[in-house]
Amino acid sequence: MQRTLMLIKPDAVKAKSAGGIIGMLEKAGFEIKAAKVFEFDAALCQVFYKDHLAKEFFPRLESFMCSGTSWALILEKENAVCALRELMGDVMPEKRVPGTIRYHYGHGITDNGVHGSDSLENAEREIAIIFR
Ligand code: CMP
């Protein structure tokens, strides 16, 4: 069994999509091991997204992530990191396919509804940051 971290981002929380997203996770066989409702501030965003700090889009990402409430979920399943990335769908809106979370609940590139850890190492790092 593997653990991974998922964020339901401010756009999806505001749109009342959290219930629908959790339904998709349960249907796909993920176990929810912990949940937290919280708000990012700039400092937390800079630590959480440290790999993106130097990127051109970081200011937009930071402003979006600090714009409202997020939910964090620790999810468990066999091969959870890859399974969640697959279920979430692509970062690029035009590449999202029906049946993925971002197709149904994401909007643009930045306001894409959800985040999922991209490796086992980052899953443990992100869990430690959010559930500190
Ligand atoms: P997430 O999976 O949380 O990881 C990094 C986030 O940066 C991504 O989702 C988007 O919300 C945001 N982002 C904004 N622009 C881009 C981009 N051009 N490429 C990748 N991520 C982007």
Side-chain angles (χ1 to χ4, degrees), residues 17-28:
S17 300
I21 292 169
I22 288 171
M24 289 181 77
L25 294 170
E26 288 179 332
K27 214 166 165 188

Side-chain angles (χ1 to χ4, degrees), residues 9 49 52 57 60-61 91 102 109-110 112 114-116:
K9 296 186 179 183
Y49 280 117
H52 298 306
F57 61 79
R60 290 196 298 283
L61 176 61
V91 158
R102 284 175 172 160
I109 299 178
T110 305
N112 58 8
V114 290
H115 163 87

Side-chain angles (χ1 to χ4, degrees), residues 3 5 8 12 24 43 53 63 68-69 71 80 84-85 92 118-119:
R3 295 198 309 171
L5 181 96
I8 303 179
M24 289 181 77
L53 262 178
S63 149
T69 301
W71 294 18
L84 180 61
R85 301 278 296 179
M92 305 313 282
D118 64 3
S119 67

